[in-house]
Amino acid sequence: MPAHKLLGMALRYLLLIWIAMIFIFPIVFMVISSLKPDLQLLSDSSSLRAFLPVGDISPTNYLSAFDRAPILLFIFNSVLITGITIVFSLFLCSLAAFSFVFLSWRGQGVIFAIILATFIVPFETIAVPLLLIVNNLPWIGLEGIKNSWINSYHVQIIPFIADALTIFLFVQYFRDLPKDLIEASRIDGATWFQVYRRVIMPLSGPIIATAAILKFLMMYNNQLLWPIMVVQEESYRPVMLGLQYFFQLNTQWGEIMAYLTIITIPVLIFYLLLQKAFIASIASTGIKG
Amino acid sequence: MALPACLLVFTFLILPFFMAFGLSLTNQRLVSPNPTEFVGLDNFKKMLGVSFLIIEPEMDEAGHIKLDNEGNPIYPRVRNFTRNQEDFPQFYKKREWFQLGLQDGKVLVVLSQDVVFLKALANTMLFALVVCPVQAGLALFLALLINQPLRGINIFRTIYFAPVVISMVVVSMLWRFIYDGQNGLLNTLMQMFSFGLFEPIDWLGNTSTALPAIMAMSVWQGVGFHMVIWLSGLQTIPLSHYEVARIEGATRWQTFRYVTWPSLRNTAILVMVIITMQAFTLYPQIQVMTRGGPLDSTQSLVFQAVIRGYEKQDISGGSAISVILFLLVLSISLFQRYLTREKN
Amino acid sequence: MAPLSIDESKLDGFLPGALGRWNGELYAVGLWDAACAIFARKSVLEANGIRIPTLDNPWNQEEFDAALVTLQGSGDFEYALDLGMAWTGEWYPYAFGPFLQSFGGDIINVETNMANDALNGDAGIAFGEFWQSLFARDLVPGTSQDGADRETGFIEGQYALQWNGNWAALPALDAFGDDMLFLPAPDFGTGPKIGAASWQFGISATSEHKDGASAFIEFAIQDKYLSAFSQGIGLIPPTAEASAMTPNYSAGGPLEVFYGLSNEQATLRAVTPAYVVAGKVFEKAMADIANGADVADTLDTAADEIDADIDQNSGYQ
């Protein structure tokens, strides 16, 4: 390779690495700081030691973070809420998409158009009236009848099950599936639901992964505004609300960093393992849009 | 079969959407013993109404303009007009939003009953106006960088995308520490690279730096998302197009200008629509980092909608902001669509 | 909420801050009270020639101001006084509202049920100007104060004085022992005032077991339980008897002064449901004034907003 090409190559890598550092330094800082006592954390942040695991390194912050807030409960809540929402969302949205693509019924086009239009309604603009609705909805649960959805798991799940993006993704995918498959099984006497379950779903692996990942990012990471409004009881709080506990009395930055690490690292590991699927799922929103 | 999903969309998206319109015309509160009343456009009038007041410098008896110690003319206090119901009922209970100097030392004062809302509106527009082009541009730059056939390029793609999977709440907490005025990492790094010339800044505590700091952080978090969308657009361009350009002897800029960019038009629309929507719903950053302060320099529409609709239990006020926000998003996405359609 | 049916004689001797009354009916009882004081070190005040104030003879505004300027001038401290600006939320109206009251103003005038003239009258504006001058002269840390500094700044010697509650007293005592002082709030004109506060037991209006709940509350407010409660969490027992039974707060105990503060200086916050909104509006006004907003304009806007809210709720009647 000639010298100037080699130099060009080196410069490109230098640029790539330099940019990578911009994206990675806060994350490294978070993890490293979570291992340091506060005094050292503060003094270290005036030098590059902020990024190095040097000095008094210990898991103390993690232990005291667990003492301070019911972290396992919050993680359980977040995982439960996110998990149930994803399962129901995949099922109901794919079912709806199936109906839009393969069945023909009156008003189909109009309803699909209305659903697509909700795509440009930001959740934040409907949060306040939605609060009024859930505040007055009855619920029959294990403890009997309640006349409000406030302070519960379902208030954090049900409003988020169906959304335009998930339905749209499934519709796009189903449209590209070969139609004769379906006709063949209909001739064999299968009901529409059997076609959905036995023919379509087994072919939908990639789009299910995509939709699940997008839903996961939307749910797990964004549980702030809505839970602030509808959950006052500790036992139903998701992880993002748990942060409040670290600001009440005796704020310790080391503990906050430990908490941030606890709620972030599993997602990052998940992402690193499945990064192709993560990136493909974002890209798929772009290809046909 | 579409029924369950459609029902959910209807109950939890469409119904509250129309309720927002309805509620914004009432005085509904979250819990109140009093009946709800229809008040028409009052909420919007309060928020959007402005009046103008022109004040002149004070004169002494000889007709000369009074000057203060530094030689600037002295103006009567705006408060004399706004708290004086008898003589100036039209200005009563309004507050100064901003001033404009006119000729002859006259000053135009723009008054409003809801300065906080107007500041939130202005900040949100400014945020979108800056973040959209910067984030879209940087994302395209990164996508072009990542689209090179280099060994190990996927590692960089993975790293650039990483902030996207981290919650904005976590990111905001982290950057609060980075932006800290005393022990903040950013000040440390700036001082190191400027060899001590740089004066530490309290980034979030300063009216002139707080919003830009939040903008920079938001771009940092979101740029990887849009990089991937650009990348998927780039990868749909057939290699043969580049081949032709190479044979024709096009420069790198020409290749980009005449081959790459025209093929990216649809991707560009999508990227702009998504960024605009995200920018207009600026909320977690504000909630975690500044709560609108200092001096309302980081108020945003969604933050105000939450403060009013939830914290102050004023459902109608919160809904009115939601309606304005929605109309803004709608008109801007229509505008973007119109702009791009014309060229096709 | 439903009124409590509790024998009034059982409530004799309760600190006013521990009883929740509204329209003449008792709605809630607290098992403890909290009080604010100026945390200080005797050695620091003596070294700077500053008089140590007492409950009977607190600092007046000039003395207080001069003390801050002297301490700041000593150069030994980053700030002369830490007000706790990092503690956003309830702290602002609870801790700073009484300063306004001591100036002769108030967040809401209980008689007229209005904020106008109470919050933005002459007394309110005088308070606002004083408040702003503390920040303008860099005597106190501003709204961007780091939460961690609020916790450790006084003990680590960053701040000469600290405005804080009795819940933070034990760590300060541990750090400074006999040198530690808890000083009463300054008198800004109409007597020294501090906020009174507690979490209280009340009964929901829809409760099916109102009598049982009342009985439980009556049971819990016996002195021996109040004392045990205080020993457990370090807050002020709400009666003199319970106080005497609690080592930290009994005569000669290190925190005795807080019982006196709570008894003598405590002023109830505006007893009205409008407080939910008024407290938030007041908080924003205090933060804005600290950051340099025009005092009179800011207080005007705040008063208008509180009054509009009261109006919108038909006066919360």
Side-chain angles (χ1 to χ4, degrees):
Chain A
M1 212 185 275
H4 74 272
K5 276 213 160 173
L6 212 61
L7 185 70
M9 188 82 95
L11 280 177
R12 273 185 217 180
Y13 273 111
L14 213 63
L15 182 65
L16 284 166
I17 290 171
W18 193 75
I19 296 175
M21 279 175 28
I22 295 179
F23 282 108
I24 221 166
F25 87 93
I27 305 171
V28 173
F29 172 71
M30 169 181 80
V31 178
I32 298 292
S33 301
S34 71
L35 298 166
K36 294 177 181 172
D38 258 34
L39 273 181
Q40 194 201 333
L41 198 170
L42 294 177
S43 62
D44 278 4
S45 66
S46 59
S47 70
L48 285 181
R49 286 167 60 95
F51 303 107
L52 300 173
V54 290
D56 189 0
I57 295 298
S58 77
T60 319
N61 288 325
Y62 287 87
L63 299 178
S64 42
F66 274 100
D67 272 348
R68 184 191 282 255
I71 296 179
L72 291 176
L73 172 74
F74 294 154
I75 293 178
F76 172 80
N77 288 345
S78 266
V79 171
L80 184 84
I81 293 165
T82 309
I84 294 182
T85 312
I86 291 176
V87 170
F88 276 96
S89 170
L90 293 179
F91 176 56
L92 294 181
C93 291
S94 63
L95 207 58
F98 178 86
S99 158
F100 283 125
V101 175
F102 300 115
L103 308 183
S104 52
W105 37 282
R106 254 175 157 228
Q108 193 176 28
V110 178
I111 291 190
F112 185 58
I114 292 176
I115 288 182
L116 278 194
T118 65
F119 187 65
I120 63 158
V121 180
F123 173 75
E124 289 79 358
T125 64
I126 59 163
V128 171
L130 191 58
L131 172 64
L132 207 61
I133 295 181
V134 297
N135 196 24
N136 294 306
L137 277 179
W139 180 260
I140 304 167
L142 295 176
E143 316 86 31
I145 298 173
K146 284 187 184 169
N147 50 13
S148 160
W149 281 17
I150 301 294
N151 285 324
S152 65
Y153 287 124
H154 54 266
V155 75
Q156 301 177 72
I157 294 174
I158 296 175
F160 301 99
I161 288 176
D163 68 291
L165 181 64
T166 312
I167 296 176
F168 176 72
L169 287 175
F170 275 108
V171 164
Q172 287 288 338
Y173 186 83
F174 290 165
R175 277 187 182 153
D176 290 347
L177 291 177
K179 287 258 193 296
D180 33 345
L181 264 177
I182 293 132
E183 272 150 33
S185 35
R186 280 293 284 176
I187 291 165
D188 290 345
T191 64
W192 281 116
F193 190 74
Q194 281 169 332
V195 175
Y196 163 80
R197 205 172 68 87
R198 300 216 184 114
V199 182
I200 301 297
M201 278 297 108
L203 289 171
S204 303
I207 195 67
I208 289 176
T210 294
I213 286 172
L214 286 174
K215 198 83 192 176
F216 171 78
L217 288 180
M218 279 191 281
M219 289 298 294
Y220 182 86
N221 283 346
N222 289 340
Q223 290 163 343
L224 181 71
L225 171 63
W226 186 240
I228 284 182
M229 292 167 82
V230 296
V231 181
Q232 283 91 41
E233 270 177 38
E234 179 176 279
S235 48
Y236 300 110
R237 283 184 181 161
V239 289
M240 295 305 156
L241 282 202
L243 258 179
Q244 292 172 344
Y245 288 71
F246 295 88
F247 288 94
Q248 275 164 355
L249 274 182
N250 198 8
T251 309
Q252 297 279 332
W253 280 103
E255 282 180 30
I256 294 173
M257 293 298 168
Y259 187 69
L260 295 182
T261 308
I262 292 170
I263 63 177
T264 307
I265 289 301
V267 184
L268 277 175
I269 290 175
F270 194 45
Y271 160 64
L272 289 179
L273 291 178
L274 298 171
Q275 54 121 339
K276 283 237 164 70
F278 266 76
I279 290 176
S281 68
I282 304 291
S284 73
T285 62
I287 288 171
K288 285 166 184 161
Chain B
M1 287 170 93
L3 194 67
C6 292
L7 244 144
L8 288 170
V9 169
F10 176 79
T11 319
F12 298 111
L13 273 168
I14 298 173
L15 180 65
F17 172 73
F18 284 107
M19 276 177 73
F21 277 86
L23 289 168
S24 67
L25 305 176
T26 68
N27 64 353
Q28 175 79 42
R29 320 229 351 139
L30 186 57
V31 262
S32 169
N34 308 308
T36 304
E37 284 162 35
F38 180 79
V39 298
L41 292 173
D42 276 8
N43 289 318
F44 295 97
K45 280 186 201 147
K46 257 184 230 159
M47 291 195 303
L48 293 166
V50 288
S51 28
F52 303 95
L53 166 68
I54 292 177
I55 49 177
E56 293 176 25
E58 287 181 11
M59 304 275 184
D60 57 20
E61 277 146 28
H64 295 294
I65 294 174
K66 284 195 208 166
L67 299 178
D68 65 11
N69 296 336
E70 283 157 24
N72 299 316
I74 298 174
Y75 291 93
R77 283 207 53 142
V78 173
R79 194 173 191 244
N80 299 342
F81 300 94
T82 57
R83 310 303 292 182
N84 181 344
Q85 194 172 6
E86 280 101 56
D87 301 339
F88 303 97
Q90 72 273 35
F91 301 133
Y92 187 56
K93 288 198 172 179
K94 294 198 168 170
R95 188 175 179 188
E96 175 180 334
W97 180 19
F98 60 86
Q99 294 190 342
L100 280 178
L102 304 173
Q103 317 155 316
D104 311 330
K106 288 182 188 169
V107 170
L108 173 73
V109 185
V110 180
L111 299 166
S112 152
Q113 212 174 334
D114 196 345
V115 173
V116 173
F117 166 78
L118 290 172
K119 283 185 179 167
L121 182 67
N123 287 337
T124 307
M125 307 260 260
L126 184 66
F127 183 84
L129 213 63
V130 174
V131 165
C132 290
V134 170
Q135 187 164 333
L138 279 177
L140 179 58
F141 172 74
L142 291 180
L144 291 169
L145 208 61
I146 288 295
N147 205 24
Q148 301 178 91
L150 285 176
R151 190 180 281 259
I153 198 75
N154 279 349
I155 298 173
F156 293 103
R157 189 187 64 179
T158 307
I159 292 175
Y160 296 176
F161 187 76
V164 175
V165 303
I166 303 178
S167 165
M168 188 52 107
V169 180
V170 173
V171 168
S172 303
M173 262 326 298
L174 213 49
W175 281 76
R176 224 172 101 169
F177 200 87
I178 292 171
Y179 283 143
D180 192 280
Q182 291 179 342
N183 314 307
L185 212 50
L186 184 63
N187 282 333
T188 305
L189 293 175
M190 297 284 251
Q191 274 185 309
M192 236 183 292
F193 289 119
S194 66
F195 305 101
L197 289 176
F198 180 81
E199 282 288 311
I201 294 178
D202 184 1
W203 295 96
L204 295 174
N206 216 309
T207 45
S208 56
T209 52
L211 192 61
I214 291 177
M215 289 173 179
M217 180 197 75
S218 309
V219 170
W220 176 87
Q221 198 264 351
V223 73
F225 185 95
H226 304 283
M227 171 190 82
V228 169
I229 297 183
W230 282 120
L231 207 53
S232 71
L234 283 176
Q235 283 162 353
T236 58
I237 302 172
L239 282 178
S240 57
H241 290 193
Y242 290 108
E243 200 66 10
V244 173
R246 202 174 58 82
I247 291 165
E248 301 265 315
T251 64
R252 217 180 270 186
W253 168 248
Q254 284 169 328
T255 312
F256 176 77
R257 176 71 187 78
Y258 296 105
V259 179
T260 315
W261 182 244
S263 322
L264 287 176
R265 182 160 291 150
N266 282 334
T267 316
I269 302 173
L270 183 79
V271 168
M272 289 312 285
V273 168
I274 296 179
I275 298 184
T276 313
M277 282 186 46
Q278 286 173 343
F280 270 102
T281 55
L282 169 67
Y283 171 69
Q285 298 96 310
I286 307 295
Q287 168 76 32
V288 176
M289 298 178 91
T290 60
R291 293 192 52 86
L295 287 185
D296 300 323
S297 60
T298 60
Q299 292 286 1
S300 79
L301 287 178
V302 175
F303 184 70
Q304 270 305 310
V306 175
I307 289 277
R308 292 173 193 203
Y310 173 67
E311 289 193 8
K312 293 181 181 163
Q313 313 200 332
D314 176 10
I315 296 255
S316 57
S319 296
I321 294 185
S322 298
V323 168
I324 290 176
L325 178 61
F326 173 74
L327 292 178
L328 264 175
V329 171
L330 180 72
S331 48
I332 284 175
S333 40
L334 288 178
F335 183 64
Q336 278 170 342
R337 220 149 260 213
Y338 168 77
L339 273 189
T340 41
R341 186 147 299 170
E342 198 182 38
K343 285 176 192 159
N344 278 348
Chain C
M1 297 265 287
L4 296 178
S5 49
I6 289 184
D7 187 357
E8 285 281 332
S9 68
K10 297 226 163 77
L11 300 170
D12 283 353
F14 257 72
L15 291 173
L19 299 178
R21 290 183 195 274
W22 168 242
N23 281 346
E25 296 264 20
L26 180 72
Y27 278 84
V29 183
L31 298 191
W32 46 266
D33 201 2
C36 283
I38 300 172
F39 288 30
R41 279 147 66 189
K42 201 194 251 171
S43 56
V44 170
L45 294 185
E46 281 170 355
N48 288 285
I50 295 167
R51 179 179 78 85
I52 295 173
T54 61
L55 262 178
D56 302 325
N57 190 7
W59 283 329
N60 60 26
Q61 188 182 341
E62 290 73 41
E63 265 184 297
F64 178 57
D65 200 72
L68 295 185
V69 172
T70 309
L71 288 168
Q72 191 73 38
S74 72
D76 298 336
F77 305 98
E78 222 169 289
Y79 291 102
L81 170 69
D82 163 29
L83 289 163
M85 299 301 282
W87 282 353
T88 51
E90 281 279 288
W91 174 249
Y92 278 52
Y94 168 66
F96 310 143
F99 294 154
L100 167 65
Q101 290 173 326
S102 183
F103 266 91
D106 207 336
I107 299 178
I108 296 172
N109 180 335
V110 186
E111 265 128 56
T112 59
N113 201 15
M114 272 176 53
N116 261 301
D117 288 341
L119 182 55
N120 58 349
D122 293 341
I125 290 172
F127 161 67
E129 301 284 359
F130 174 69
W131 182 253
Q132 190 161 59
S133 79
L134 294 177
F135 296 88
R137 291 177 290 165
D138 277 326
L139 298 172
V140 296
T143 49
S144 58
Q145 182 190 29
D146 191 329
D149 289 342
R150 167 64 176 163
E151 305 294 342
T152 56
F154 175 70
I155 291 173
E156 281 166 9
Q158 249 172 299
Y159 309 131
L161 305 172
Q162 186 177 46
W163 180 238
N164 210 334
N166 57 302
W167 55 87
L170 287 174
L173 270 177
D174 286 346
F176 299 121
D178 287 346
D179 198 20
M180 189 62 212
L181 293 173
F182 301 102
L183 309 176
D187 176 357
F188 293 110
T190 67
K193 302 238 161 42
I194 58 170
S198 61
W199 296 106
Q200 304 184 334
F201 277 122
I203 301 175
S204 149
T206 56
S207 169
E208 290 165 26
H209 306 289
K210 288 198 182 80
D211 296 336
S214 286
F216 167 74
I217 293 175
E218 261 189 53
F219 173 78
I221 59 176
Q222 295 177 63
D223 289 332
K224 57 183 171 183
Y225 296 112
L226 295 175
S227 166
F229 208 68
S230 167
Q231 283 175 45
I233 60 176
L235 292 156
I236 306 175
T239 68
E241 291 73 22
S243 194
M245 287 159 69
T246 313
N248 272 337
Y249 289 96
S250 61
L255 302 181
E256 182 199 0
V257 57
F258 281 106
Y259 187 80
L261 285 172
S262 205
N263 204 12
E264 300 213 354
Q265 294 191 344
T267 315
L268 288 178
R269 278 174 277 180
V271 186
T272 153
Y275 188 76
V276 176
V277 169
K280 289 184 164 62
V281 175
F282 180 73
E283 176 188 354
K284 181 171 172 350
M286 288 297 96
D288 285 353
I289 292 175
N291 283 323
D294 184 272
V295 174
D297 286 354
T298 307
L299 293 176
D300 282 347
T301 311
D304 287 347
E305 199 180 339
I306 294 170
D307 287 347
D309 174 70
I310 294 174
D311 258 6
Q312 230 184 346
N313 286 283
S314 314
Y316 286 103
Q317 294 305 320

